[in-house]
Amino acid sequence: YQLHALSRGLFDDQGQAEAARRAGELLDATDDPLVQRAGALTLTRIRRETQLDAADAELVKVVALRQATGDTEGQLGALQERAALLLELERVDDALDVAGQLVDLHGASGDREAEQAGLEALVELLVGYGHIDRAATLCNDALFRANGRGQIRAAAAVRGLMALVLAAMGQVDEGVAEARAALQAAEKEGYRPLVASVQSRLGRVLLHAGAFSEAREVLLEAMNTQILTRGRAEQATTLQALAAAEERLGDGPAAAQHLAKAGRLLMELGDVSGAVGTLHEALERYDDLDLHEEGSRVGTFLVGLSASFPPAEQLRVLHGQGTRLARAGRLDDAAEAFR
């Protein structure tokens, strides 16, 4: 908790230095390898704010540590973190090398689905950081390999990814057509997790196209399938896209509800930063709609997380929750929050 509080903490240069110093002391004081691995990544994130090159050097150590301790999941997370950092540094070739390690690690067991998951994470990362041409090249290469191996499912998944790339390039109509073709191929295979994944990407492309009603319909169907197939990581992305569609359609309460669900899911998946940001988005919408009772339920969850926040952030969360409870008529609960 102390390490998490530090990682969310102080954003000026002096504060960064102090946070990094304190995080280093906490790491030196423990022999627990789990705390050391988590703490090393936290320390890297603190230093990222002002010293990106130094942070990259530390991430190299984190990857090596997690590999040495057999923590494959942790190694995957650290590699993805490093690839994102290198993209921020505009070291695209190095980022692609690291991301290639990510894909190789996913596929080391011979599990083609795991290898595909690594590729999808990489393409999403490149699109998110605006390296669209590189993402397109990767998709084209992956589609060539999938077709050469006769991997129909992999080809359908890659075409769903390519739809997102096309939309990001401004070729929205082509992206919609590609996503529909990918969905048709996935439905022909009858593999429900793949169908849901492609539906989710079709929904996101339809958002680019301004087809908000159809996007909501497709995303709802994807979400329901992901609930059944336990595709929790993809479900969080689907819920966030669904909220965007609902907001554009004027259904603010549904948008807030789905953002709250996405936030809780991200927390269960261990993405604390993503969870907190998404929960704050949900609260903003509930507050704007004067839905104070509904917002207070999300606020209660966020207050539970705030024990690991810096004092100023913790006070902000508690003050917001107290105000929300007072407006909902729950004065005793509000007084407790303000206390």
Side-chain angles (χ1 to χ4, degrees):
Y1 279 124
Q2 291 182 69
L3 284 164
H4 175 57
L6 286 166
S7 72
R8 289 189 55 79
L10 310 154
F11 293 99
D12 58 278
D13 289 349
Q14 184 177 354
Q16 290 288 331
E18 175 60 22
R21 184 192 66 76
R22 178 62 183 137
E25 289 178 354
L26 288 169
L27 288 178
D28 290 340
T30 180
D31 294 325
D32 186 333
L34 291 176
V35 175
Q36 287 177 337
R37 290 199 296 275
L41 192 51
T42 296
L43 182 56
T44 298
R45 285 171 174 158
I46 292 170
R47 290 182 174 162
R48 273 184 64 170
E49 298 297 328
T50 53
Q51 300 176 11
L52 296 183
D53 288 315
D56 178 50
E58 289 193 34
L59 269 173
V60 171
K61 297 175 186 175
V62 173
V63 171
L65 175 63
R66 295 190 170 188
Q67 183 178 16
T69 55
D71 181 5
T72 302
E73 185 175 352
Q75 189 180 353
L76 288 167
L79 284 169
Q80 189 157 341
E81 176 83 6
R82 186 171 181 233
L85 175 60
L86 289 167
L87 287 172
E88 287 183 42
L89 289 165
E90 297 295 326
R91 290 166 55 186
V92 181
D93 289 335
D94 289 339
L96 288 174
D97 287 341
V98 171
Q101 296 173 41
L102 185 71
V103 175
D104 291 343
L105 189 59
H106 270 293
S109 63
D111 184 341
R112 294 296 187 192
E113 287 189 15
E115 185 179 5
Q116 182 68 28
L119 171 70
E120 292 178 21
L122 170 56
V123 171
E124 293 265 12
L125 195 64
L126 287 167
V127 171
Y129 280 90
H131 297 288
I132 312 301
D133 290 342
R134 297 294 187 119
T137 298
L138 276 177
C139 285
N140 285 325
D141 290 346
L143 187 59
F144 180 80
R145 287 196 304 274
N147 286 332
R149 295 170 178 170
Q151 296 173 320
I152 299 173
R153 290 182 185 179
V158 173
R159 294 189 72 180
L161 277 175
M162 192 65 194
L164 287 177
V165 173
L166 288 167
M169 294 172 70
Q171 300 176 30
V172 179
D173 291 342
E174 293 87 342
V176 171
E178 187 72 5
R180 292 193 194 282
L183 180 57
Q184 186 176 15
E187 289 174 336
K188 187 175 181 181
E189 281 293 290
Y191 183 52
R192 294 179 73 186
L194 173 62
V195 171
S197 176
V198 177
Q199 281 177 325
S200 181
R201 291 185 173 121
L202 171 59
R204 289 160 65 190
V205 174
L206 288 168
L207 284 176
H208 280 278
F212 304 121
S213 293
E214 186 182 358
R216 176 169 63 177
E217 181 181 341
V218 169
L219 289 163
L220 276 170
E221 191 171 346
M223 180 191 70
N224 290 331
T225 301
Q226 286 163 347
I227 290 171
L228 293 173
T229 59
R230 300 184 181 277
R232 299 199 307 160
E234 287 191 333
Q235 187 187 343
T237 301
T238 300
L239 283 164
Q240 289 168 321
L242 178 57
E246 288 164 337
E247 189 158 2
R248 296 302 294 267
L249 290 167
D251 193 349
Q257 180 184 23
H258 285 124
L259 281 171
K261 286 183 178 178
R264 290 190 177 96
L265 185 56
L266 287 168
M267 190 64 205
E268 291 173 15
L269 293 167
D271 183 356
V272 178
S273 177
V276 170
T278 304
L279 290 169
H280 273 303
E281 285 187 55
L283 280 175
E284 286 175 7
R285 282 154 182 78
Y286 278 131
D287 290 346
D288 289 344
L289 293 163
D290 292 328
L291 295 172
H292 305 302
E293 184 62 40
E294 293 86 344
S296 69
R297 289 194 286 270
V298 178
T300 297
F301 186 78
L302 193 58
V303 167
L305 297 178
S306 70
S308 65
F309 293 1
E313 175 68 9
Q314 189 174 8
L315 285 172
R316 187 170 78 88
V317 170
L318 289 168
H319 183 273
Q321 180 68 347
T323 302
R324 213 169 284 118
L325 289 166
R327 289 175 177 171
R330 294 167 56 184
L331 299 182
D332 289 343
D333 292 335
E336 181 63 27
F338 283 126
R339 186 177 299 116

